[in-house]
Amino acid sequence: MTLFSIAKKNIKMNFSNYFLYFASMIFSIVIYFTFVSLKYDKTIQATSDGSTKISSAFSGAAVVLMIFVAIFIWYSNSFFTRKRKKEVGLYSLLGVRKKQIGKMLFYENFIMGLLALIIGIAVGSVLSKLFVALLMKLMGYEVVGNFSISVAAIINTVIVFLLITLITSFQGYRLIYRFKLIELFQADKEGEKESRASFIVALLSIILIGTGYWIALQNLMDSKVWKTLGFMVTPMVILVTVILGTYFLFSTLTVYVLKLSRKNKKSYWKGINIIGTSQLLYRMKGNARTLTIIAVLSATTLTAVCTAYSMYYNNRTNAEKFNPNSFMFIDTNNKVSQKVQNIMSQNKNHQVIYHAAIPTLEVEADITGFKNEFYGNEMRYTLISNHDFNKLAKEQKRNENLTLKGEEAVVLDATYMDSISPKYVGSSISFKTNKKVQHITFTDFKKYSVFNLYTIQNSIVVSDELFAQLQSEIRPLNVEAYKITNDDDAKQLSKDVQALVPEKANLSSFYADYSAGLESSGLLIFMGGFLGLVFLAATGSIIYFKQLTEAGADKGRYEILYKIGVKKKEVRKSIAKQMLFIFALPLLAGIAHCAVALTALSNLMQTNLVLPVVICMGIYTIAYIVYYFLTVNSYYKIVIKTK
């Protein structure tokens, strides 16, 4: 029997242990192949105006995925090789040379990698049309892609994963030479020292994480910490404190808590809790680094996916906020305005809800009264009368009716941010007219605008009498605003209007911003979702592999429990408690880190992210629960196979 045939036989016999590793590799290859295929897809190139950007985005995502998958396969292969130390030791005892054992392990890993590569490319090719359709749907395009297989994508995937497989196979080959024969047979007894608990380090873990959270949640502009450390150094400080605190949390604080629970004699001596608690205490230090990595990866993945989904979820809201009118442009030519009006009235797919022609005044204002370092000394503002504001606000169904007198004014700021924007109320600005310097004082401000942001960025509502006075001194500009039905499906109408309106008219439309946002956020959620699934599969598998390795070492202990009359139900309950502790720690830490990061982002962006974040976290938690039950079941099956 050749080494190659022995390797194939070993894979068949141990396939249940290899299954998750094999499945994770296939899934990673499918996603990598999908990303590379989408880079070359003709449907995307023909449909999207930003096909070049999409291609670059998928190239970048493929590189990130490739690096992560390489690390995951390397990590997993190390686990499997170490798990089989006794088997390798037995081969050595029977006279098989290390070179031959290394070759056998090399063949095993290479066969697994090659099979995963073939299956992954085959599955990816079959699903390619579905992935293209999904991406097009998320980006807002109603396109049915033709089935096609990219030869370039296949070659790219084969080269990358063959290289990864060869490297990890050589790693397994080299690992054999690191251990002496006695070490191979005593592998299960290594690292069996109870972890030490330090109250000071445990307290330090809470202080470090708390410090990181506190800095992250500070007001960006008002925080002395951010100003002192700078906007480049502060995020690094947050990362270091949180990651270091998380490691101390798992390596020391959890041990401290477990030792405290051991003092509760009633609970500790109930059933076989003593076994579960002791095993956690002995192995917590060895698991700390792995759990820290998984917690940080989970937090990063959740934050990225939640942010992408939040952008997608809030796309329409943001488009409406910055484009309250379906179309808006500055009326530079009455003939153009008439032509646009004719197109609107003749279009059968959209009805005009309102059409408003609004006189405005442009001024260059001295804003030193804001005392805001981000706004400089001067800014161009567009003035609108109290009457016209009330009229347009009513058309937009806003519950607003201003009553301004004299030099009173209200600023409209759709991009208002608490940490950056000026303190408007009570502030004054001034601007020059043909006759004098005019001062106005803000009595209020609104976190929205009745104008589309691209057409008119900064606007102020002034009293009717002041507007009438200034109108004789400053040349007015007429702004045309339209609201139509089904403005999220106005692609053709937008093109028709764009063809008529000159560039200097600053045409803005709801559809243009909505479709652009849908395209970018749809692309982000597609990439973030699939990368997140790969990260989830990999991190869940790492915990699974590590626990199965420990299960093999625990078989003898559970055999003793059977001999003294412990029931299988009690054993399963004890295993479930241990696994819950191991799975819950990184999941809860990851969710906590993610929640703080997203809260800081929400405060900065002035956006409510609660619903999309809850949905993403819910899906992620459910996936982890599936891994938990799978690990409990596999662990139980290993330890009950006793004589």
Side-chain angles (χ1 to χ4, degrees):
M1 185 177 284
T2 64
L3 289 173
F4 191 79
S5 58
I6 293 173
K8 288 194 295 183
K9 189 176 180 181
N10 281 343
I11 291 171
K12 289 179 182 178
M13 292 177 65
N14 295 301
F15 190 72
S16 59
N17 291 336
Y18 279 108
F19 177 73
L20 258 187
Y21 172 63
F22 189 58
S24 298
M25 279 185 68
I26 292 172
F27 185 62
S28 301
I29 292 166
V30 169
I31 301 303
Y32 182 84
F33 177 74
T34 299
F35 278 21
V36 178
S37 296
L38 291 173
K39 175 183 175 181
Y40 300 109
D41 191 82
K42 293 179 181 178
T43 305
I44 296 173
Q45 291 174 358
T47 306
S48 174
D49 296 330
S51 58
T52 306
K53 293 180 180 179
I54 293 172
S55 177
S56 301
F58 277 113
S59 296
V63 171
V64 172
L65 182 63
M66 179 180 68
I67 294 169
F68 181 79
V69 169
I71 295 170
F72 163 67
I73 294 173
W74 180 287
Y75 201 73
S76 304
N77 191 49
S78 300
F79 268 134
F80 281 117
T81 307
R82 289 190 178 96
K83 183 183 175 184
R84 299 173 64 189
K85 282 183 182 179
K86 273 192 176 180
E87 181 186 337
V88 171
L90 185 61
Y91 285 133
S92 297
L93 199 63
L94 293 172
V96 182
R97 287 176 297 174
K98 284 188 174 183
K99 185 178 180 180
Q100 292 176 307
I101 299 169
K103 279 185 179 180
M104 183 188 69
L105 293 179
F106 175 89
Y107 290 147
E108 283 184 25
N109 194 58
F110 191 76
I111 291 168
M112 292 278 288
L114 199 60
L115 283 172
L117 185 61
I118 293 167
I119 296 171
I121 290 176
V123 173
S125 300
V126 172
L127 295 176
S128 60
K129 184 177 178 180
L130 174 63
F131 290 135
V132 171
L134 177 61
L135 177 59
M136 292 290 98
K137 181 69 176 175
L138 288 170
M139 293 172 66
Y141 296 113
E142 297 295 334
V143 177
V144 178
N146 297 320
F147 179 77
S148 62
I149 299 175
S150 172
V151 177
I154 292 175
I155 294 171
N156 188 312
T157 307
V158 168
I159 291 171
V160 167
F161 278 89
L162 273 181
L163 189 63
I164 291 172
T165 304
L166 280 170
I167 292 170
T168 52
S169 298
F170 275 115
Q171 177 219 10
Y173 181 90
R174 287 179 63 251
L175 216 61
I176 301 304
Y177 290 88
R178 295 183 185 179
F179 305 106
K180 296 178 181 177
L181 189 61
I182 188 67
E183 290 175 340
L184 295 171
F185 281 104
Q186 297 295 323
D188 290 345
K189 297 179 182 179
E190 292 176 3
E192 294 293 327
K193 292 182 179 179
E194 185 176 314
S195 303
R196 294 181 179 180
S198 167
F199 176 76
I200 295 173
V201 178
L203 185 62
L204 181 62
S205 70
I206 298 173
I207 293 171
L208 284 170
I209 294 174
T211 302
Y213 284 1
W214 178 76
I215 297 172
L217 294 173
Q218 291 295 297
N219 188 309
L220 201 62
M221 297 302 122
D222 297 337
S223 172
K224 291 181 179 179
V225 177
W226 282 85
K227 288 181 179 179
T228 304
L229 297 177
F231 294 101
M232 297 296 290
V233 177
T234 308
M236 295 302 298
V237 172
I238 294 171
L239 281 174
V240 170
T241 53
V242 171
I243 292 172
L244 196 60
T246 305
Y247 176 74
F248 289 151
L249 173 76
F250 293 145
S251 63
T252 305
L253 182 59
T254 51
V255 174
Y256 190 79
V257 172
L258 285 168
K259 287 192 174 183
L260 282 177
S261 70
R262 194 164 60 178
K263 293 180 180 180
N264 185 350
K265 303 300 181 183
K266 186 178 180 181
S267 172
Y268 185 63
W269 293 101
K270 185 179 179 181
I272 57 171
N273 285 348
I274 183 175
I275 303 296
T277 304
S278 298
Q279 289 192 162
L280 286 171
L281 278 169
Y282 274 87
R283 287 172 175 158
M284 207 60 227
K285 188 176 181 180
N287 286 330
R289 186 166 52 185
T290 303
L291 296 180
T292 302
I293 293 169
I294 290 170
V296 172
L297 273 175
S298 297
T300 306
T301 304
L302 272 172
T303 303
V305 173
C306 289
T307 303
Y309 183 59
S310 298
M311 290 174 64
Y312 185 80
Y313 182 84
N314 292 315
N315 179 54
R316 186 181 184 90
T317 303
N318 292 333
E320 287 176 341
K321 180 180 180 181
F322 299 131
N323 298 275
N325 307 287
S326 302
F327 294 93
M328 177 171 271
F329 59 91
I330 297 171
D331 182 10
T332 57
N333 190 323
N334 290 328
K335 292 181 181 179
V336 171
S337 301
Q338 188 59 48
K339 287 179 181 179
V340 171
Q341 194 170 349
N342 290 338
I343 289 176
M344 296 285 187
S345 59
Q346 292 171 10
N347 193 287
K348 296 179 180 179
N349 298 323
H350 307 279
Q351 301 296 319
V352 177
I353 297 173
Y354 68 76
H355 169 219
I358 308 141
T360 62
L361 304 172
E362 277 197 357
V363 297
E364 196 73 34
D366 178 356
I367 59 169
T368 51
F370 287 159
K371 297 178 182 178
N372 188 296
E373 57 186 297
F374 294 96
Y375 274 61
N377 297 324
E378 290 187 345
M379 184 174 289
R380 183 176 293 277
Y381 277 101
T382 299
L383 307 183
I384 179 177
S385 70
N386 192 154
H387 173 267
D388 288 328
F389 168 82
N390 289 343
K391 178 184 174 182
L392 196 51
K394 184 179 180 182
E395 294 282 13
Q396 294 174 3
K397 301 190 182 329
R398 300 184 189 275
N399 188 24
E400 294 285 357
N401 190 44
L402 298 179
T403 305
L404 300 174
K405 297 178 181 179
E407 295 181 348
E408 294 177 344
V410 173
V411 68
L412 307 178
D413 190 351
T415 59
Y416 182 85
M417 297 174 68
D418 290 331
S419 55
I420 297 175
S421 297
K423 309 299 180 187
Y424 289 116
V425 179
S427 298
S428 298
I429 64 171
S430 61
F431 51 87
K432 292 180 180 180
T433 66
N434 293 336
K435 297 180 179 180
K436 62 175 182 177
V437 175
Q438 180 66 52
H439 296 271
I440 57 173
T441 302
F442 295 119
T443 58
D444 199 0
F445 72 97
K446 304 296 178 186
K447 295 181 182 180
Y448 66 84
S449 178
V450 291
F451 296 118
N452 290 13
L453 196 65
Y454 178 74
T455 304
I456 295 176
Q457 187 169 8
N458 306 300
S459 51
I460 297 172
V461 185
V462 296
S463 64
D464 291 338
E465 53 265 37
L466 180 58
F467 189 87
Q469 175 192 324
L470 295 172
Q471 202 168 10
S472 62
E473 302 174 25
I474 303 171
R475 184 182 174 185
L477 291 174
N478 289 326
V479 176
E480 298 279 334
Y482 289 88
K483 185 69 175 178
I484 61 170
T485 57
N486 304 322
D487 53 1
D488 57 351
D489 190 26
K491 183 177 182 179
Q492 188 56 50
L493 183 58
S494 295
K495 286 183 177 180
D496 294 339
V497 174
Q498 181 72 56
L500 290 173
V501 178
E503 187 176 344
K504 62 181 180 180
N506 289 353
L507 172 67
S508 59
S509 71
F510 169 82
Y511 176 78
D513 275 14
Y514 174 73
S515 60
L518 199 64
E519 182 175 300
S520 58
S521 61
L523 178 62
L524 282 174
I525 196 173
F526 182 88
M527 291 195 302
F530 276 89
L531 286 174
L533 286 173
V534 173
F535 285 14
L536 173 62
T539 52
S541 298
I542 287 170
I543 299 180
Y544 177 85
F545 300 149
K546 191 161 180 62
Q547 294 312 304
L548 293 197
T549 304
E550 293 177 359
D554 290 338
K555 286 181 69 174
R557 299 180 182 92
Y558 282 100
E559 185 177 354
I560 295 171
L561 290 177
Y562 291 134
K563 287 179 179 179
I564 62 175
V566 176
K567 295 179 181 179
K568 289 184 178 181
K569 186 179 179 181
E570 284 292 315
V571 171
R572 191 179 184 92
K573 189 177 178 181
S574 176
I575 292 169
K577 286 181 179 179
Q578 290 179 61
M579 294 304 103
L580 182 62
F581 195 80
I582 295 296
F583 272 88
L585 280 176
L587 178 62
L588 292 175
I591 288 175
H593 298 344
C594 171
V596 172
L598 290 172
T599 301
L601 182 65
S602 178
N603 292 338
L604 182 65
M605 296 173 61
Q606 303 287 301
T607 307
N608 188 356
L609 306 177
V610 174
L611 186 59
V613 167
V614 168
I615 292 170
C616 290
M617 286 185 176
I619 294 170
Y620 202 84
T621 303
I622 290 168
Y624 247 78
I625 290 171
V626 171
Y627 265 104
Y628 163 72
F629 282 111
L630 191 63
T631 307
V632 169
N633 191 53
S634 299
Y635 194 111
Y636 177 71
K637 283 182 178 179
I638 290 172
V639 299
I640 63 169
K641 289 180 181 177
T642 53
K643 295 178 182 179

